[in-house]
Amino acid sequence: MSARRLWAELRRRPVIIAAILVAVALVVSSVLVPIISDLDASSPRLARRLQGPSWAGGEGGLLGTDSLGRDLFLRIMHGMRTSFAVGALAALLGAALGTLIGLVSGYFGGAVDAVLMRLTDIELAFPGILLVMVLVRVLERGIVGLVIVLGLISWMLYARVVRGAVLTLRTSELVTATTGLGASTPRILFVHVLPNVAAAAMSLMAVTFAALMLAEASLSFIGFGVQPPQISLGAILSSGREYLSTSWWISTFSGLFLLLGVLSTNLIGSWLHRVTDPLTVRTAS
Amino acid sequence: MSALLEVRDLQVAFQRRRDAEPVVPVADVSFDIRAGERVGLVGESGSGKSLTALAVMGLIPRIGGHLGPRTSISLGGENLLAKSEREMRWIRGGQIAMIFQDPLSSLNPVLKTGRQVIEALELHRPGLDNREMRAIAVDLLDQVHLPRPERLMDSYPHELSGGMRQRVMIAIALAGDPDLLIADEPTTALDVTIQAEVLDLLHELGEARDLAVLLITHDLSIIAGFTHRVLVMYGGRLVERAPTRDLYADPRHPYTGLLLRSIPPLDRTEERLVAIAGSPPEPAARPDGCGFNPRCPFSMDPACTTEHPPLIPLDGAAGASRATACARVDEITLGSLAPAPVSAAAAAGTAIDDGVLVNLERLSKTFKIKGEGLVGHELITAVDDVSLELRRGEVLGIVGESGSGKSTLARCMLHLIEPSRGTVRFDGRELGALGVRQLRRLRLRMQMIFQDPASSLDPRMRVGRILAEPLRIHGLWGTPGHNEAALQDLIELVQLPPDSLNRFPHEFSGGQRQRIAIARSLTARPSLLVCDEPVSALDVSVRSSILNLLADLRKEFGLTMVFIAHDLSLVRYLCDRIGVMHQGRLVELKSTEDLFADPVHDHTRELLAAQPVPDPATEQERRTHRRSLAGVSR
């Protein structure tokens, strides 16, 4: 779909426009606020602990402070940044892995296909949380480990979708014609087949991104995710539970920002999926 | 006699977006069909012929379009546009029935055949009990000459062949005892021998039941012996209306004339075909003035380019039944149309020499398909023990019906699929004995073009990149003679617009895309070119120019060609020798002249007898002949 048609589509969807504005604002501020702020997000200032937001009569700045007296707004922005980074990188990793597996599985068929697809089935059937807990034990804790874990639990959908697309392409005249030109198998796969199935994978990526952001927060919430001193929305949310009756702002605002981030990217993602997925677009037009 | 169906000023418009200009794919179409009359509606894709049929059925609102304010459609004197949806449902299938191109997708796959006929009876003949309905249904299946109708009642659509399914569709259409049957490309998906049978059946039913038939098709040949009158549509308008005999003897609109002249004749070998320039317009981008003017050799400013010429009745022998929409109808003589000249390079081309380029020895190909049950498989023999030799510079035609194995043979010949048995020798080298790299290298010298250029070209590459791809693959890109300038020459050679290299395949029409595919196959100057039904997916009016191009290129480059087709007239024009395939076997192989003069194998004769020709007298004669044969066997 061309940029101009995408824009024309977008103009008729005020909700998506709003979602884009929110997402952009969140990304920009989560990158900029930690840079320009002269406060330190990690070092405790116990004298200022559990102060309410200034607009609600407290003395804790914009969104109040946490149990160690650290500025909540700054910490939420840090957490937002982690969420976006982990979500994006994990989606990328899962997409790359799944696309490769789908490509190989669909193109070569036979035993290769059988083995790879059974592997996909097994992983789809395997309880995700169990796998994550095992992997987290084995891998290094922290952002890199988390990205790998989330990538490893999200590739199956790509593998299935891409395999399906490749199966139809494999018997198409496009592949026969390219074989007839004397092209080698890697060339057919990566120069001719891959670009034609990439759209399907990318449009899936838009949807999984939000889900992976949420997965990162959930893992951090139960303590399996990002480890201190790195900051995650899930961890902030979790730490606020103890103070819910006295200092409501900690869990409320971290939860609210997580909601905004996931909701806006999810809306954008499913819209992008709808307008760019070659399968749905073809049937709609 | 008053008309059964009267269509006046039919206009179909689609409003895609609220602020945009509506697209008008059909405009100013008026025609009558009398009771029992068979009328052909001929046009290419996008001409508006199918929309015209849907309008008569009252189905335009369902597909999101609307009719023009002056449009009127009446059946037996009753205004159809004033009918409620409930009344229209009664009329559809009751007074007007319709059959479509693909009987498999119009039949319900999970219901038994008999059930589907009975359903139509339930809708349109209420008050019958089950036993009566079953008896009528069996009778209907018998009327469409289906064998053992009692047993067929209990079979499912997938158990029937394509021709049988279309007969079932016709039986269903007859269930409501309609006065008018609309048949939209009813034989396009069928093999040529089955096509003849289905048309004969429609003809017979039309005569016996006084049933009017509106036959919609893109193929002028199939209706020659079938219809009383013909309507020709182009660019959403009627351009000619004439009794069938007159139309073929003396077409008056340049489009009809050119189209008839561009069909290669079956009874002689033509040096050269009349070609029509350009391609048919898209409904959203039609030219000003006469829709045909950009492609018409008689087009004149401003007579043809400013206003739509109306359909004007012609005086003379044929009377008021003839009409044509051409502003210059009195000035032009279609007889003066000459075939496109042979290009100079082609004229100086090479001839066949004695050397053998390709040698097939006892080639067979079997496919495994899933059999019945959970495990096990069946073997299908697609190509069965085929041996032949291809001499340098000759063009070999391979004809056969769908499933005869002709495409598989072509792919085996190039080792695009591995033959199961037998050997292929190309220029003395056995392909099966070559290593992967050697075979890839050799592919430069043997190229293939496919039926559907849209699916054989990478949609994400610009044409320049597509044409350079064979050279890139073999690391030749950038070496002397293999550069941008060479591609530009190639573009000109296949008569594409000069700015083509920077555009994507989807920006071109079907015919142009096939030119791109041809150009790609020529980038590396091959010795062998295998063409698998290269014009079957193209509009009728662009076919002859592609055939002429292939004929030119063959001479210019001294190409050896294999030309696969299901249409005998095409191979007659292009080929030196013709092989006929039937159920995987090569049943007859001889020179073009001999094959047409003296066909020996039964299947060759069948094909020749069924191949429709654009001549009413011949077609009628052949039908009488076929009927007498059928009468003997039945």
Side-chain angles (χ1 to χ4, degrees):
Chain A
M1 180 180 255
S2 70
R4 200 188 316 147
R5 279 186 52 203
L6 205 64
W7 174 236
E9 226 290 325
L10 183 63
R11 271 179 30 190
R12 293 187 282 137
R13 313 221 175 255
V15 177
I16 303 300
I17 296 177
I20 291 176
L21 291 178
V22 169
V24 168
L26 286 176
V27 171
V28 169
S29 54
S30 72
V31 171
L32 288 185
V33 169
I35 296 175
I36 36 185
S37 169
D38 49 2
L39 292 171
D40 183 357
S42 298
S43 36
R45 290 193 296 162
L46 292 172
R48 286 174 47 78
R49 68 192 295 266
L50 298 177
Q51 300 284 322
S54 50
W55 43 267
E59 295 178 358
L62 188 56
L63 297 181
T65 60
D66 69 0
S67 58
L68 294 176
R70 298 171 295 200
D71 185 70
L72 191 60
F73 180 64
L74 185 60
R75 285 185 65 79
I76 287 178
M77 285 301 124
H78 272 280
M80 231 36 253
R81 194 171 62 173
T82 312
S83 291
F84 281 124
V86 170
L89 290 174
L92 218 57
L93 181 67
L97 201 63
T99 304
L100 190 68
I101 289 174
L103 207 58
V104 170
S105 183
Y107 192 80
F108 293 102
V112 179
D113 181 41
V115 169
L116 287 175
M117 279 302 113
R118 288 308 77 74
L119 193 73
T120 312
D121 289 343
I122 291 169
E123 221 191 303
L124 273 174
F126 212 82
I129 195 78
L130 200 63
L131 192 70
V132 169
M133 283 153 100
V134 172
L135 286 172
V136 166
R137 286 264 169 249
V138 178
L139 293 164
E140 164 204 5
R141 293 205 178 183
I143 290 190
V144 177
L146 199 59
V147 165
I148 294 175
V149 169
L150 293 177
L152 284 179
I153 61 162
S154 65
W155 59 268
M156 295 84 77
L157 206 53
Y158 298 95
R160 283 232 174 134
V161 169
V162 169
R163 172 180 173 270
V166 172
L167 275 183
T168 46
L169 263 180
R170 183 178 63 162
T171 51
S172 74
E173 291 187 343
L174 172 64
V175 169
T176 316
T178 316
T179 314
L181 297 175
S184 63
T185 306
R187 187 173 183 100
I188 294 174
L189 266 182
F190 292 106
V191 180
H192 294 274
V193 176
L194 181 61
N196 283 295
V197 297
M202 272 193 242
S203 115
L204 257 185
M205 213 163 88
V207 189
T208 42
F209 174 66
L212 289 171
M213 263 177 80
L214 199 59
E216 179 273 320
S218 315
L219 285 176
S220 302
F221 185 86
I222 55 172
F224 280 107
V226 177
Q227 302 298 316
Q230 264 165 349
I231 302 164
S232 157
L233 284 177
I236 303 175
L237 197 62
S238 169
S239 72
R241 277 185 307 170
E242 292 168 45
Y243 309 98
L244 213 49
S245 52
T246 52
S247 311
W248 54 270
W249 52 90
I250 304 177
S251 291
T252 309
F253 288 115
S254 53
L256 201 63
F257 272 92
L258 182 62
L259 175 79
L260 279 178
V262 172
L263 187 63
S264 60
T265 46
N266 202 7
L267 280 171
I268 301 167
S270 49
W271 171 74
L272 270 179
H273 180 64
R274 207 169 52 241
V275 296
T276 57
D277 183 24
L279 299 171
T280 52
V281 170
R282 203 175 304 143
T283 47
S285 61
Chain B
M1 198 162 81
S2 74
L4 171 71
L5 177 77
E6 261 186 42
V7 176
R8 291 288 171 273
D9 299 315
L10 175 66
Q11 187 193 42
V12 180
F14 289 89
Q15 185 91 41
R16 288 281 181 226
R17 246 179 281 146
R18 223 169 300 150
D19 47 347
E21 279 278 299
V23 176
V24 186
V26 178
D28 299 335
V29 169
S30 303
F31 63 93
D32 293 338
I33 298 178
R34 290 187 288 272
E37 188 183 33
R38 289 182 300 280
V39 176
L41 181 59
V42 184
E44 296 177 84
S45 61
S47 64
K49 58 191 194 303
S50 290
L51 285 175
T52 303
L54 290 178
V56 173
M57 296 289 283
L59 293 172
I60 292 295
R62 271 214 205 158
I63 54 170
H66 52 89
L67 300 175
R70 289 184 299 127
T71 301
S72 79
I73 302 173
S74 62
L75 183 76
E78 287 192 61
N79 180 6
L80 289 187
L81 298 184
K83 300 275 183 202
S84 68
E85 178 56 29
R86 209 186 149 80
E87 290 168 310
M88 273 316 284
R89 276 209 298 272
W90 182 252
I91 289 169
R92 276 181 223 129
Q95 284 165 277
I96 314 174
M98 191 159 176
I99 58 173
F100 298 89
Q101 174 172 341
D102 183 2
L104 187 58
S105 63
S106 345
L107 285 170
N108 188 336
V110 300
L111 292 183
K112 287 179 182 167
T113 310
R115 181 66 225 146
Q116 303 192 46
V117 183
I118 289 175
E119 189 180 10
L121 287 171
E122 284 170 351
L123 288 172
H124 292 286
R125 306 242 200 112
L128 295 172
D129 68 29
N130 284 345
R131 190 134 34 75
E132 285 170 321
M133 277 198 285
R134 191 172 168 94
I136 296 176
V138 172
D139 182 49
L140 282 169
L141 292 179
D142 189 45
Q143 282 187 41
V144 295
H145 304 317
L146 280 163
R148 285 180 292 181
E150 271 290 347
R151 267 187 63 186
L152 269 177
M153 293 287 289
D154 293 316
S155 41
Y156 288 95
H158 71 263
E159 298 173 88
L160 311 180
S161 69
M164 287 166 89
R165 283 184 209 126
Q166 196 59 288
R167 283 167 195 271
V168 172
M169 282 307 296
I170 295 171
I172 292 173
L174 295 179
D177 197 16
D179 305 315
L180 172 65
L181 176 69
I182 300 178
D184 191 356
E185 304 264 10
T187 61
T188 307
L190 304 176
D191 279 324
V192 60
T193 50
I194 311 294
Q195 164 171 289
E197 288 172 16
V198 169
L199 288 175
D200 285 353
L201 171 68
L202 287 175
H203 187 272
E204 180 194 323
L205 291 169
E207 298 276 309
R209 295 176 151 246
D210 203 25
L211 173 70
V213 180
L214 178 65
L215 185 88
I216 299 172
T217 181
H218 66 278
D219 188 343
L220 269 169
S221 307
I222 68 164
I223 51 170
F226 181 81
T227 55
H228 299 108
R229 285 191 302 134
V230 178
L231 308 165
V232 183
M233 272 188 99
Y234 187 85
R237 286 159 192 270
L238 283 182
V239 295
E240 183 147 18
R241 183 183 78 209
T244 307
R245 213 168 269 276
D246 298 334
L247 184 91
Y248 289 88
D250 178 25
R252 300 300 296 271
H253 194 280
Y255 172 63
T256 326
L258 281 165
L259 208 52
L260 279 170
R261 291 282 304 274
S262 73
I263 301 172
L266 196 60
D267 53 353
R268 58 179 191 281
T269 302
E270 197 78 72
E271 237 348 87
R272 195 79 183 153
L273 298 177
V274 171
I276 311 178
S279 47
E282 300 280 330
R286 294 205 174 124
D288 289 335
C290 170
F292 190 57
N293 89 71
R295 305 177 70 190
C296 182
F298 304 103
S299 172
M300 238 172 70
D301 244 355
C304 299
T305 54
T306 46
E307 266 174 59
H308 287 293
L311 193 64
I312 303 169
L314 295 176
D315 307 325
S321 60
R322 285 209 75 167
T324 187
C326 177
R328 303 191 63 209
V329 65
D330 297 326
E331 305 161 44
I332 58 177
T333 40
L334 292 170
S336 67
L337 288 171
V342 180
S343 77
T350 45
I352 305 172
D353 71 29
D354 285 334
V356 172
L357 182 68
V358 181
N359 187 332
L360 306 187
E361 222 170 77
R362 313 210 60 177
L363 202 69
S364 292
K365 176 71 193 176
T366 49
F367 289 106
K368 261 187 221 174
I369 59 157
K370 261 197 188 135
E372 293 187 13
L374 287 173
V375 284
H377 53 77
E378 278 176 57
L379 286 178
I380 295 268
T381 306
V383 175
D384 192 0
D385 201 16
V386 171
S387 303
L388 59 85
E389 273 184 356
L390 203 55
R391 292 194 299 274
R392 279 175 204 279
E394 91 167 325
V395 179
L396 172 71
I398 306 267
V399 292
E401 306 199 304
S402 61
S404 62
K406 51 193 195 306
S407 283
T408 310
L409 179 67
R411 284 165 169 77
C412 284
M413 196 184 285
L414 300 183
H415 264 241
L416 283 171
I417 48 182
E418 201 92 1
S420 308
R421 279 186 303 282
T423 55
V424 182
R425 273 203 190 76
F426 178 83
D427 212 359
R429 294 209 270 174
E430 192 185 324
L431 295 185
L434 293 178
V436 180
R437 277 166 188 278
Q438 287 170 303
L439 181 61
R440 278 196 355 231
R441 193 77 199 166
L442 204 57
R443 291 204 178 284
L444 278 179
R445 295 190 48 211
M446 38 186 218
Q447 288 290 311
M448 180 151 179
I449 55 179
F450 298 85
Q451 174 171 352
D452 183 8
S455 70
S456 66
L457 302 174
D458 197 326
R460 287 171 188 273
M461 287 188 177
R462 288 176 201 278
V463 171
R465 181 71 209 277
I466 288 173
L467 296 187
E469 187 64 9
L471 300 170
R472 284 174 189 271
I473 286 169
H474 296 284
L476 294 172
W477 182 242
T479 58
H482 296 311
N483 49 25
E484 207 69 34
L487 296 187
Q488 196 60 43
D489 291 345
L490 208 55
I491 286 292
E492 271 162 48
L493 184 71
V494 297
Q495 295 147 29
L496 282 166
D499 62 342
S500 298
L501 289 179
N502 273 321
R503 289 154 66 188
F504 286 98
H506 68 84
E507 297 174 54
F508 294 85
S509 68
Q512 287 177 320
R513 278 201 287 257
Q514 196 57 290
R515 288 171 192 272
I516 298 172
I518 293 172
R520 174 174 66 178
S521 73
L522 295 175
T523 19
R525 298 287 142 97
S527 339
L528 172 69
L529 185 61
V530 177
C531 312
D532 188 2
E533 303 249 14
V535 298
S536 303
L538 304 180
D539 274 312
V540 195
S541 71
V542 303
R543 288 183 185 175
S544 52
S545 60
I546 297 284
L547 291 174
N548 279 346
L549 175 67
L550 286 173
D552 278 0
L553 293 172
R554 172 240 175 146
K555 289 199 182 122
E556 185 169 346
F557 293 103
L559 281 173
T560 308
M561 277 170 59
V562 177
F563 186 88
I564 294 163
H566 61 269
D567 186 328
L568 277 162
S569 59
L570 299 184
V571 289
R572 165 139 217 181
Y573 167 63
L574 214 57
C575 303
D576 306 307
R577 280 196 303 158
I578 296 176
V580 179
M581 285 197 75
H582 184 48
Q583 296 177 347
R585 293 182 155 270
L586 188 65
V587 294
E588 192 157 1
L589 174 66
K590 49 169 99 162
S591 80
T592 305
E593 291 299 312
D594 291 348
L595 187 93
F596 281 87
D598 180 27
V600 174
H601 194 274
D602 283 348
H603 188 65
T604 314
R605 291 184 183 186
E606 256 176 51
L607 287 178
L608 276 170
Q611 172 78 39
V613 291
D615 177 47
T618 317
E619 277 293 308
Q620 255 152 29
E621 209 174 287
R622 293 163 100 195
R623 188 180 40 251
T624 323
H625 180 63
R626 283 197 298 263
R627 193 170 282 176
S628 67
L629 286 180
V632 172
S633 70
R634 199 170 279 144

